């Protein structure tokens, strides 16, 4: 099977600084993944629907404006609501260390803060991608 | 899964398209089951050089057609990196307006180096979307190479998008202009030399062998930026479709497409069978060395293996 890992990258909310997200998107492409880049100012609902339509394996959320505690869990919730409960969600951006446990409780499986080497993201993906197709 | 697809369930449709892209072992039986339920949807192909505004136009076309209550699906095809095999699929960005509309389904597909070609996968995806109840299916791809031409030929009507400022490139596009496009769109009509481009296109169309003043290819001017001309374009494409449906051209086109599809399936299955038999990855190393040191010719190496393959197949 010619299976490719598909990662949907999005910036929820009003944060327009996408250089980081673009950097990650390009690096993931170079690692051989298909990156569906949906851009800035996405609503959590739009992100969840897109992820289901694209049958994404992962959703990567980038946020620098501080609204992560509201928006990230909202994306997880809407994914479940739209049939995307098995999509793995990770995030990055300006996220204080003390918020990370809460986010993980809410279903965001990893947070990659500034300065994290891109290999850490790639390793995470390699360890968490689905190995078999289910009907 | 079939039932869910026929009900229009988003998750099932998305999964089915993944099965197609990933060459799932049950893909064929799924397509066989889906196929009898297809045939209702109209397929428009939208192609043109990078930066011509295809995605922006698709966004506006969706808006226009949605207002009529149609359910619309979009397949946006983008190239995979030949080096890493990965891809950045960014066409959705231009279609934000429809992100939360449950009557619109958007799927990004990477060209991937599919065994059956991306055209094979796109063709199967169209069948699934058709069976799922979408009235209009838009296929969007860059129209620069043979592969893209194959994808766009899957449509009932091909919209070729051109823009001012291409200069000499329109000369290079002439062969494509004459052969692929059914409807021609000069986008970015807000720019100065848009009218000149329109005149050039009309001139080139005039030169066609089968130019028929009664049956001309329509040419439209649009500005996606200003949302101008899109309604006229959409209505014009509908009218063109009605015409070719009535005069038998649509049927001819669809039959030609089926023949191409069958040819494609034969090709890809043969290749797959042969490559599996040859266990190529292993062989390639040896063969490359031999050819490099001139101890064997590429033809000789392949022929020996092929003869073996045919001999063994005949024994069965």
């Amino acid at each position: 099977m010619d299976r490719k890992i598909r990662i949907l990258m999005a910036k929820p909310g009003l944060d327009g600084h996408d250089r980081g997200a673009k950097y990650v998107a390009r690096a993931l492409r170079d690692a051989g993944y298909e990156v569906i880049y949906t851009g800035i100012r996405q609503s959590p609902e739009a992100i969840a629907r897109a992820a289901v339509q694209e049958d994404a394996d992962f959703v990567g959320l980038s946020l620098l404006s501080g609204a992560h505690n509201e928006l990230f869990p909202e994306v997880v919730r809407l994914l479940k609501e739209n049939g995307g409960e098995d999509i793995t969600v990770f995030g990055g951006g300006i996220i204080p260390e003390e918020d990370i446990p809460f986010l993980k409780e809410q279903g965001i499986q990893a947070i990659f803060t500034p300065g994290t080497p891109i290999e850490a993201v790639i390793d995470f993906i390699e360890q968490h991608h689905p190995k078999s197709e289910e009907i | 899964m079939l039932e869910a697809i026929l009900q229009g369930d988003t998750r099932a449709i998305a999964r089915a398209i993944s099965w197609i892209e990933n060459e799932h072992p049950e893909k064929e039986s799924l397509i066989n089951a889906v196929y009898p339920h297809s045939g209702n949807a109209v397929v428009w192909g939208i192609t043109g050089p990078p930066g011509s505004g295809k995605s922006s136009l698709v966004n506006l076309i969706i808006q226009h057609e949605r207002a009529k209550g149609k359910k619309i699906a979009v397949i946006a095809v983008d190239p995979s990196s030949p080096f890493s095999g990965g891809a950045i699929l960014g066409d959705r960005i231009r279609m934000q307006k429809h992100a939360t509309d449950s009557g619109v389904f958007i799927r990004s597909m990477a060209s991937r180096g599919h065994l059956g070609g991306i055209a094979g996968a796109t063709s199967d995806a169209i069948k699934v979307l058709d069976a799922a109840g979408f009235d209009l299916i838009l296929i969007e791809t860059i129209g620069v190479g043979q592969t893209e031409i194959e994808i766009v030929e899957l449509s009932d009507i091909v919209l070729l998008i051109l823009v001012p400022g291409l200069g000499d490139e329109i000369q290079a596009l002439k062969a494509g202009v004459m052969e692929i496009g059914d409807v021609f769109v000069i986008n970015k009509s807000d720019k100065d030399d848009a009218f000149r481009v329109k005149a050039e296109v009309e001139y080139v169309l005039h030169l066609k062998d089968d130019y028929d003043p009664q049956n001309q290819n329509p040419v439209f001017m649009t500005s996606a930026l200003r949302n101008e001309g899109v309604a006229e374009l959409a209505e014009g494409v509908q009218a063109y479709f009605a015409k070719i449906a009535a005069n038998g051209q649509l049927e001819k086109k669809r039959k030609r497409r089926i023949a191409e599809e069958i040819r494609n399936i034969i090709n890809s299955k043969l290749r797959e069978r042969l490559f599996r038999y040859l266990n190529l990855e292993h062989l390639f190393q040896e063969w490359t060395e031999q050819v490099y040191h001139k101890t064997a010719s590429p033809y000789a190496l392949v022929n020996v293996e092929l003869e073996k393959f045919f001999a063994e197949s005949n024994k069965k």
Side-chain angles (χ1 to χ4, degrees):
Chain A
M1 276 196 338
D2 178 27
R3 200 196 191 296
K4 293 283 183 195
I5 296 172
R6 288 165 68 86
I7 305 165
L8 188 129
M9 301 259 329
K11 289 186 67 67
L14 298 173
D15 165 31
H17 297 86
D18 56 359
R19 179 161 293 183
K22 282 181 174 166
Y23 165 74
V24 173
R26 244 173 272 137
L28 294 179
R29 177 203 57 196
D30 291 342
Y33 307 130
E34 286 177 358
V35 181
I36 299 119
Y37 187 77
T38 60
I40 60 176
R41 293 197 219 109
Q42 299 290 298
S43 69
E45 192 190 347
I47 295 170
R49 284 170 166 274
V52 173
Q53 288 174 15
E54 299 285 357
D55 200 19
D57 300 299
F58 294 86
V59 167
L61 302 172
S62 158
L63 197 72
L64 282 67
S65 64
H68 47 273
N69 284 335
E70 281 72 40
L71 293 177
F72 286 14
E74 183 66 358
V75 172
V76 173
R77 186 184 74 78
L78 286 165
L79 277 172
K80 289 201 180 96
E81 214 174 82
N82 281 281
E85 55 280 337
D86 49 348
I87 299 177
T88 304
V89 181
F90 64 92
I94 303 297
I95 297 169
E97 287 290 324
E98 60 257 30
D99 288 350
I100 295 180
F102 169 73
L103 290 172
K104 287 202 168 160
E105 258 172 60
Q106 296 294 310
I108 293 94
Q109 298 205 28
I111 297 285
F112 301 105
T113 47
T116 308
I118 192 68
E119 286 76 26
V121 183
I122 295 172
D123 280 341
F124 170 77
I125 295 191
E126 285 300 315
Q127 281 163 36
H128 285 83
H129 72 79
K131 288 173 178 52
S132 60
E133 286 286 345
E134 276 159 18
I135 299 167
Chain B
M1 200 197 227
L2 177 66
E3 266 317 304
I5 293 172
L6 297 178
Q7 310 266 2
D9 176 67
T10 306
R11 185 69 166 160
I13 296 168
R15 265 290 151 81
I17 297 178
S18 295
W19 274 24
I20 292 164
E21 289 200 279
N22 298 328
E23 303 278 343
H24 191 280
E26 285 172 63
K27 169 199 87 169
E28 282 182 26
S29 57
L30 177 68
I31 299 298
N32 289 343
V34 155
Y35 190 63
H37 300 274
S38 69
N40 178 57
V42 180
V43 185
W44 297 3
I46 291 121
T47 189
S52 50
K54 296 180 292 298
S55 297
S56 305
L57 275 175
V58 167
N59 181 45
L60 292 170
I61 290 171
I62 295 174
Q63 201 174 304
H64 181 87
E65 295 296 304
R66 261 315 265 155
K68 298 179 186 171
K70 289 189 187 173
K71 289 181 61 186
I72 305 178
V74 182
I75 300 178
V77 182
D78 270 322
S80 298
S81 159
F83 306 108
S84 72
I88 296 208
L89 309 171
D91 292 326
R92 294 190 80 104
I93 297 181
R94 306 267 183 259
M95 304 179 207
Q96 304 295 19
K97 214 175 163 126
H98 311 286
T100 52
D101 182 349
S102 56
V104 179
F105 182 103
I106 302 171
R107 176 71 174 230
S108 314
M109 289 177 72
S111 61
R112 269 196 206 183
H114 284 267
L115 201 57
I118 180 65
T122 308
S123 173
D124 284 342
I126 290 172
K127 293 186 187 90
V128 169
L129 292 165
D130 191 340
F134 288 95
D135 303 296
L136 178 62
I137 301 174
L138 306 172
I139 316 291
E140 187 201 317
T141 179
I142 315 174
V144 292
Q146 186 55 41
T147 312
E148 287 75 20
I149 291 173
E150 280 167 16
I151 300 167
V152 155
E153 296 267 83
L154 298 170
S155 0
D156 296 320
I157 302 189
V158 177
L159 282 66
L160 180 63
I161 318 296
L162 296 167
V163 285
L166 286 181
D168 284 343
E169 284 160 59
I170 204 180
Q171 311 292 321
L173 280 170
K174 273 182 184 172
V177 165
M178 287 199 279
E179 286 156 300
I180 314 174
D182 296 304
V183 172
F184 297 82
V185 185
I186 317 299
N187 194 32
K188 307 197 186 183
S189 60
D190 45 293
K191 293 203 186 266
D192 283 339
D193 44 347
F195 276 102
R196 191 183 54 74
V197 177
K198 180 170 192 266
E200 268 206 51
V201 169
E202 284 171 339
Y203 172 68
V204 166
L205 288 173
H206 220 84
L207 296 175
K208 272 167 56 162
D209 282 340
D210 55 347
Y211 175 74
D212 173 8
Q214 308 296 9
N215 263 320
Q216 295 179 59
N217 297 99
V219 183
F220 295 93
M221 296 195 60
T222 58
S223 166
L225 187 70
R226 294 187 185 165
N227 195 359
E228 284 170 4
V230 179
E232 290 81 350
L233 169 63
E235 296 309 317
V237 175
Q238 308 278 24
Y240 187 83
F241 179 81
K243 197 172 68 170
I244 60 172
N247 70 11
Q249 268 185 278
L250 179 66
E251 185 176 323
K252 259 197 237 162
K253 221 181 196 207
R254 286 181 169 175
K255 286 183 174 171
R256 221 172 35 227
R257 187 189 320 151
I258 290 172
E260 192 52 46
E261 180 181 354
I262 295 174
R263 215 173 284 135
N264 194 18
I265 293 173
I266 295 173
N267 269 332
S268 58
K269 280 183 177 285
L270 272 179
R271 272 186 60 187
E272 195 266 336
R273 184 73 192 85
L274 201 52
F275 282 21
R276 223 184 329 138
Y277 170 84
L278 292 177
N279 192 10
L280 271 185
E281 284 315 309
H282 173 72
L283 271 181
F284 268 152
Q285 300 249 23
E286 282 177 45
W287 282 5
T288 311
E289 290 299 316
Q290 290 184 48
V291 174
Y292 188 78
H293 292 106
K294 305 221 181 0
T295 53
S297 90
Y299 285 114
L301 289 169
V302 173
N303 284 337
V304 165
E305 290 300 320
L306 271 186
E307 289 309 314
K308 265 196 242 163
F309 175 77
F310 290 133
E312 280 188 32
S313 304
N314 282 334
K315 274 189 212 146
K316 290 177 191 155

